[in-house]
Each structure stands twice: as C-alpha cells, then as structure tokens.
Amino acid sequence: MFKIPEHQVAGHQAKDGVLGPLIDDSGNFYKPLQNDERGSKEIAFYTSLSSDPRVPDNIRRYFPIFRGSKAINASDGSGLQPHLVLEDVVSSYQSPSVMDIKIGSRTWDPQASESYIEKCLKKDRESSSLTLGFRISGLKLVTSSKDASVWQPGRKFLQNLAANDAKLVLSRFVSSNVSSNDNIHPDCSFASKVFGGPSGILEQLLELKKWFEVQTIFHFYSCSVLMVYERESLMKGSSSSGALVKLVDFAHVADAKGAIDHNFLGGLCSLIKFISDVLEAPVENGFCNNYCSKDEH
C-alpha cells in the first residue's frame, strides 16, 4: 500500500531503515510526525491554516492540502507511528522535475533552544543561506523517462553555491540540453514556459511575495519552496509545463505577533531576482549567457 516517494529531493528519505515520508496510490503523502514540539507545531499550523479566515484562498492553494493525521507502519520498521496526511503534490505528474529551495538567511526560530540555534547557524554559515537568502536543498531533473535518466547534483555541490553557480543550476533546471552526466552550457529553452508566462513559476512567486509583504500571522523558519514541472511534455513540443509552486515544511513556523516576516520575504525576493535574471539572460549561439565555476559532483 505504501511506497517511498521517488521524487523527494531533500530531507530524510525512507530508505535503508531510515524514518521518512511514504506515499500511496490515492495521492496521499505521509510525513512522520516528530515526537517533540516540532510535530505538534506542524500539525497545529496545518489545522490553523485550513480554517484561518486571514489566509486568502489564492494563497492557501500554495500549501499542500491537509488531510489530518494517521498512524501507519513507519518506514524504519518501528511499527505504527503517527504521520501527517498531506496531498502528494506531484501525484498527477508522469515524470516531474523537482527543486527544493529552503528560504531565508536564518533557518531557526529565535525561541528555539541554544543547541538547536547553534546547529542551524552552522548549516547556514556553510551554505548559501547567509549570502543569497536561500539555499537549494535538492533537485531532480528528469532528462529521459525512457531510460530513467536524471540530473541530480549531490548535496555537497549544492550546499554553498555562489551567485553565478546558483544561477547556472536554475538555468540548467529549465534547459533542453541537459543530460545526466554532461557539462554542456544550458540553453534555457524552457525558461519562458516554466519560469515565465501568466501561470509560470515567477508569477506564482510574485503572488506569494505580495502576501508576505502584508501578512503578519506567521513567521516561516526553515520552510521551503518546491518548484515542479513536467519536462518531458515540453521535450515533446507541448506548450504546457504544468509549472507548480508549493510551500512545504512547517515544523518551525512561529507566531508573527503582528510583525512582517522579513527573513522569509527577503529570501523570496532574492529567489525571484535570480529567476528573473535567468528569464532575461541573453542567449548567445543557442546557450544562456551563464556559467558555473564549480565541479558538479
């Protein structure tokens, strides 16, 4: 009944006896509830989000649908454990390409324990969170569903990207000439259909930005933007990419106490600028005018 999500690109994965999320064939995503205040915080957030009249419907659609909680057999073999039951946001895609981007230069709640803050600070300093306001936690670009080819750079490569490197990764994510093991400069041929257009990722992020400029309900620490699209349909000439933005991971959401979430808003604005730059990048001899200085391993 339950399976390991093939398209999960960040976080704990339910492999080799590790506790992680599971999915079923009915479009449900089962996320293990952490047995401390993080678990109770996340379920409280989803419960509040689904009923809070201050959250407009056009914004609520950027969150996975909350379907309650359920005890199921955990992936680590520990028996029945409580799980959040959420919408599997990629269940309608055949071969989704996915990128998970953690937003904010600070990924910790000021009210967290000193040891936890130190742990998060170390991660933030060793990643692009402090310099860029976001970090790419993981990605999977399906280059061919026929032979299951993917481009999936390692976490070490993604951990501390400089600005040019981050721009190149975003460019490769929307290119037609990327294979699983090459270093060809990206052509960005899908940028206008995935990032651009009235229903593209950029417009969705801008809609979220408008809300974050005024919302004083929540502060979203260590929350991620999930970007999804169907690359293979574009390779076959389709004009629709199914571009999708979702916000995920809410175990560290805090009460905003009437204050703007400048940490998340700043990171979101930075990501928007990077995506805008990819869209506006000149194409020379069929390639985006971006480059990468890091070895992609």
Side-chain angles (χ1 to χ4, degrees):
M1 177 180 176
F2 301 111
K3 300 178 291 186
I4 297 172
E6 293 181 11
H7 308 295
Q8 181 188 350
V9 296
H12 298 292
Q13 297 183 330
K15 298 177 180 178
D16 303 321
V18 174
L19 181 63
L22 298 167
I23 57 173
D24 63 20
D25 291 327
S26 299
N28 295 314
F29 183 93
Y30 298 85
K31 181 179 180 180
L33 268 173
Q34 298 177 84
N35 59 5
D36 54 22
E37 67 172 6
R38 290 173 293 177
S40 57
K41 263 191 173 184
E42 189 154 26
I43 200 165
F45 168 77
Y46 272 112
T47 302
S48 172
L49 179 77
S50 60
S51 59
D52 196 322
R54 295 172 295 176
V55 181
D57 289 341
N58 69 307
I59 296 301
R60 197 173 281 115
R61 72 187 180 97
Y62 289 110
F63 296 84
I65 297 170
F66 174 54
R67 294 169 177 160
S69 61
K70 185 177 182 180
I72 65 169
N73 285 315
S75 62
D76 63 353
S78 59
L80 288 175
Q81 299 291 343
H83 287 65
L84 278 172
V85 186
L86 305 170
E87 167 196 17
D88 178 6
V89 300
V90 301
S91 62
S92 63
Y93 291 77
Q94 293 297 314
S95 301
S97 290
V98 182
M99 184 181 291
D100 183 305
I101 305 173
K102 193 172 291 292
I103 302 296
S105 58
R106 188 177 74 195
T107 59
W108 43 271
D109 180 349
Q111 303 303 315
S113 68
E114 187 175 337
S115 61
Y116 184 78
I117 290 175
E118 280 298 318
K119 177 184 173 182
C120 291
L121 266 174
K122 185 176 186 294
K123 284 185 178 180
D124 293 346
R125 287 169 179 156
E126 293 173 351
S127 74
S128 64
S129 291
L130 288 179
T131 55
L132 304 183
F134 65 85
R135 67 175 180 253
I136 300 174
S137 299
L139 73 89
K140 183 177 182 179
L141 183 68
V142 179
T143 57
S144 173
S145 62
K146 291 181 180 179
D147 58 4
S149 296
V150 299
W151 177 58
Q152 191 167 11
R155 186 173 297 180
K156 186 177 180 180
F157 167 73
L158 294 172
Q159 185 175 26
N160 191 14
L161 297 175
N164 281 333
D165 302 313
K167 191 179 296 183
L168 184 119
V169 170
L170 288 165
S171 298
R172 286 175 69 89
F173 188 64
V174 290
S175 292
S176 68
N177 63 337
V178 177
S179 68
S180 59
N181 59 358
D182 67 25
N183 291 309
I184 295 174
H185 285 264
D187 59 22
C188 295
S189 61
F190 300 144
S192 62
K193 293 178 180 178
V194 178
F195 289 158
S199 59
I201 282 172
L202 181 59
E203 279 301 311
Q204 294 178 58
L205 293 176
L206 288 170
E207 186 172 31
L208 278 170
K209 173 177 170 284
K210 287 181 181 178
W211 184 60
F212 274 94
E213 288 172 338
V214 297
Q215 79 90 9
T216 56
I217 313 167
F218 308 110
H219 279 187
F220 291 85
Y221 297 108
S222 201
C223 171
S224 290
V225 164
L226 204 66
M227 304 193 306
V228 185
Y229 81 99
E230 192 76 76
R231 185 174 182 271
E232 189 155 352
S233 65
L234 296 178
M235 293 291 287
K236 294 178 179 178
S238 172
S239 60
S240 174
S241 67
L244 176 74
V245 167
K246 291 285 184 181
L247 299 183
V248 297
D249 297 335
F250 308 110
H252 304 281
V253 171
D255 187 340
K257 299 179 181 178
I260 296 290
D261 187 356
H262 290 290
N263 178 61
F264 191 94
L265 178 60
L268 184 61
C269 288
S270 178
L271 177 60
I272 286 170
K273 177 64 166 63
F274 272 75
I275 288 177
S276 297
D277 286 349
V278 172
L279 269 171
E280 296 167 4
V283 176
E284 299 176 0
N285 299 319
F287 302 107
C288 292
N289 190 16
N290 291 317
Y291 66 92
C292 184
S293 61
K294 294 185 73 172
D295 186 20
E296 295 181 19
H297 297 292

